[in-house]
Coordinates of all heavy atoms in Angstrom, one line a residue:
A118 N -27.2 83.9 54.1 CA -27.0 85.3 53.5 C -26.0 85.2 52.3 O -26.0 86.2 51.5 CB -26.4 86.3 54.5
R119 N -25.2 84.2 52.2 CA -24.3 84.1 51.0 C -25.2 84.0 49.8 O -26.2 83.2 49.8 CB -23.3 83.0 51.2 CG -22.4 83.2 52.2 CD -21.3 82.2 52.2 NE -20.3 82.4 53.3 CZ -19.4 81.7 53.6 NH1 -19.2 80.5 52.8 NH2 -18.4 82.0 54.4
R120 N -24.7 84.7 48.7 CA -25.5 84.7 47.5 C -25.9 83.3 47.0 O -27.1 83.0 46.8 CB -24.7 85.4 46.4 CG -25.5 85.5 45.1 CD -24.8 86.2 44.0 NE -24.6 87.7 44.3 CZ -23.5 88.4 44.4 NH1 -22.4 87.8 44.1 NH2 -23.5 89.7 44.8
E121 N -24.9 82.4 46.9 CA -25.2 81.1 46.4 C -26.0 80.3 47.3 O -26.8 79.5 46.9 CB -23.9 80.3 46.0 CG -23.0 80.1 47.3 CD -22.0 81.3 47.6 OE1 -22.1 82.4 46.9 OE2 -21.3 81.2 48.5
A122 N -25.9 80.6 48.6 CA -26.8 79.8 49.6 C -28.3 80.3 49.5 O -29.2 79.5 49.7 CB -26.3 80.0 51.0
V123 N -28.5 81.6 49.3 CA -29.8 82.1 49.2 C -30.4 81.7 47.9 O -31.6 81.2 47.9 CB -29.8 83.7 49.3 CG1 -31.2 84.3 48.8 CG2 -29.4 84.2 50.6
E124 N -29.7 81.6 46.8 CA -30.2 81.2 45.5 C -30.6 79.6 45.7 O -31.6 79.2 45.2 CB -29.2 81.2 44.4 CG -29.0 82.7 44.0 CD -27.8 83.0 43.1 OE1 -27.1 82.0 42.7 OE2 -27.6 84.1 42.6
R125 N -29.7 78.8 46.3 CA -30.0 77.4 46.6 C -31.3 77.3 47.4 O -32.2 76.4 47.1 CB -28.9 76.8 47.2 CG -29.1 75.3 47.7 CD -28.9 74.4 46.5 NE -28.9 73.0 47.0 CZ -29.6 72.1 46.4 NH1 -30.3 72.3 45.2 NH2 -29.5 70.9 47.0
L126 N -31.5 78.0 48.4 CA -32.5 78.0 49.3 C -33.9 78.4 48.6 O -35.1 77.9 48.8 CB -32.4 78.7 50.6 CG -33.2 78.3 51.8 CD1 -33.1 76.9 52.1 CD2 -32.7 79.2 53.0
D127 N -33.8 79.4 47.6 CA -34.8 79.8 46.9 C -35.5 78.7 46.0 O -36.7 78.8 45.8 CB -34.4 81.0 45.9 CG -34.3 82.3 46.6 OD1 -34.8 82.5 47.7 OD2 -33.7 83.2 46.1
E128 N -34.7 77.7 45.7 CA -35.1 76.5 45.0 C -36.2 75.8 45.7 O -37.0 75.1 45.2 CB -33.9 75.6 44.5 CG -32.9 76.2 43.6 CD -31.7 75.2 43.4 OE1 -32.0 74.1 43.6 OE2 -30.7 75.8 43.2
F129 N -36.2 75.9 47.0 CA -37.0 75.0 47.9 C -38.1 75.8 48.7 O -39.1 75.2 48.8 CB -36.1 74.3 48.9 CG -35.1 73.4 48.3 CD1 -33.8 73.8 48.2 CD2 -35.5 72.1 47.8 CE1 -32.9 73.0 47.5 CE2 -34.5 71.3 47.2 CZ -33.2 71.7 47.1
V130 N -37.8 76.9 49.0 CA -38.7 77.7 50.0 C -39.9 78.4 49.2 O -41.0 78.0 49.5 CB -37.8 78.7 50.8 CG1 -38.9 79.4 51.8 CG2 -36.9 77.9 51.6
G131 N -39.6 79.3 48.3 CA -40.7 79.9 47.6 C -41.4 80.9 48.5 O -41.1 81.0 49.7
P132 N -42.3 81.8 48.0 CA -42.9 82.8 48.7 C -43.8 82.3 49.8 O -44.5 81.3 49.6 CB -43.7 83.6 47.7 CG -43.9 82.6 46.6 CD -42.7 81.7 46.6

Side-chain angles (χ1 to χ4, degrees):
R119 291 186 176 178
R120 178 180 293 127
E121 60 279 357
V123 170
E124 289 172 357
R125 175 82 171 131
L126 207 48
D127 282 344
E128 296 174 26
F129 300 99
V130 176

